[in-house]
């Protein structure tokens, strides 16, 4: 008779442990998208912000009313070892007016004899400027497939938010580096 309550407690403990394990597994899968969302919202770790044309126009208006200050933007392009592409910016540095839209162009060429699909990750340094670097349009928002020997030009339309001038940790920055790294994506079903 004493074994029935013991069996019941063991079963309950086992179910609780199983539920805890499933919950931890779920949190493990949710961690990456939640961290990405956190970085995109806060600019943490040099993550740039996505902006609309309307936000860019507002920033430009603010910058014009506050007076124009410029900042140097350096462009960096990399690929992982499994991406057989030449990938580079057309212009390595550019001086831009804070708050004004500008465009950088990157060139990618597939040097292999097969189509290659890649996705670009990006960041901005110094990291405290990530919250103020806004991209309106970017090749990094979508996957890129290059056919054998194909060369493409990929624009990035961006601006540096004038609010950077109000941040004591970022206002004296003279150069921002925007860096991209292409990673190979395996096609679904292949």
């Amino acid at each position: 008779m004493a074994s029935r309550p013991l069996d019941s407690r063991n079963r309950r403990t086992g179910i609780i442990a199983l539920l805890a394990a499933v919950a931890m597994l779920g949190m493990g899968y949710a961690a990456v998208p939640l961290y990405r969302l956190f970085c995109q919202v806060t600019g943490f770790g040099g993550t740039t912000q996505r902006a609309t044309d309307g936000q860019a126009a507002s920033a430009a208006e603010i910058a014009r009313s506050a007076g124009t200050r410029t900042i140097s933007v350096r462009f960096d392009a990399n690929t992982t070892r499994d991406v057989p592409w030449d990938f580079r910016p057309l212009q390595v540095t550019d001086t831009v007016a804070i708050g004004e839209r500008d465009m950088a162009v990157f060139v990618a060429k597939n040097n292999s004899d097969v189509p290659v699909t890649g996705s670009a990750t990006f960041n901005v340094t110094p990291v405290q400027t990530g919250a103020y670097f806004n991209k309106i349009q970017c090749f990094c928002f979508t996957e890129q497939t290059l056919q054998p020997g194909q060369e493409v030009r990929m624009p990035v339309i961006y601006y540096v938010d004038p609010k950077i001038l109000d941040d004591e940790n970022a206002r004296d920055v003279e150069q921002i580096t925007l860096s991209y790294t292409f990673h190979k994506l395996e096609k679904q079903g292949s």
Side-chain angles (χ1 to χ4, degrees):
M1 191 108 181
S3 82
R4 270 195 184 156
L6 183 60
D7 288 344
S8 177
R9 282 186 287 188
N10 286 344
R11 191 175 303 116
R12 190 173 343 137
T13 302
I15 289 171
I16 291 170
L18 178 65
L19 289 175
V22 169
M24 286 189 282
L25 182 65
M27 291 300 287
Y29 278 103
V32 171
L34 289 174
Y35 181 73
R36 184 177 298 130
L37 179 64
F38 170 77
C39 290
Q40 288 172 344
V41 169
T42 64
F44 182 76
T47 302
T48 63
Q49 306 299 301
R50 282 179 89 159
T52 64
D53 284 325
Q55 290 168 316
S58 294
E61 189 62 37
I62 292 168
R64 278 190 286 279
S65 66
T68 303
R69 187 176 137 208
T70 61
I71 193 164
S72 173
V73 180
R74 183 178 158 303
F75 305 104
D76 180 49
N78 305 283
T79 61
T80 57
R81 290 183 183 194
D82 60 345
V83 178
W85 294 358
D86 287 332
F87 177 51
R88 62 182 171 76
L90 275 184
Q91 186 175 346
V92 177
T93 60
D94 193 11
T95 301
V96 299
I98 292 177
E100 294 290 329
R101 275 196 300 198
D102 203 1
M103 182 169 70
V105 178
F106 289 76
V107 177
K109 181 178 180 185
N110 182 354
N111 295 319
S112 74
D113 57 357
V114 296
V116 176
T117 300
S119 178
T121 57
F122 54 87
N123 74 330
V124 170
T125 53
V127 296
Q128 68 267 29
T129 62
Y132 306 106
F133 197 95
N134 293 273
K135 291 189 278 187
I136 300 164
Q137 179 183 333
C138 183
F139 59 87
C140 61
F141 296 158
T142 59
E143 297 175 0
Q144 305 295 322
T145 300
L146 274 63
Q147 298 301 316
Q150 181 183 13
E151 181 175 292
V152 296
R153 291 174 179 248
M154 300 181 291
V156 178
I157 299 174
Y158 67 94
Y159 69 95
V160 178
D161 194 318
K163 292 177 186 168
I164 194 171
L165 300 173
D166 299 329
D167 184 338
E168 67 182 46
N169 294 318
R171 69 173 149 229
D172 293 327
V173 171
E174 295 178 0
Q175 185 174 66
I176 296 174
T177 299
L178 174 61
S179 182
Y180 289 99
T181 301
F182 261 103
H183 304 269
K184 187 174 183 179
L185 294 179
E186 297 302 323
K187 281 297 203 182
Q188 300 270 335
S190 57

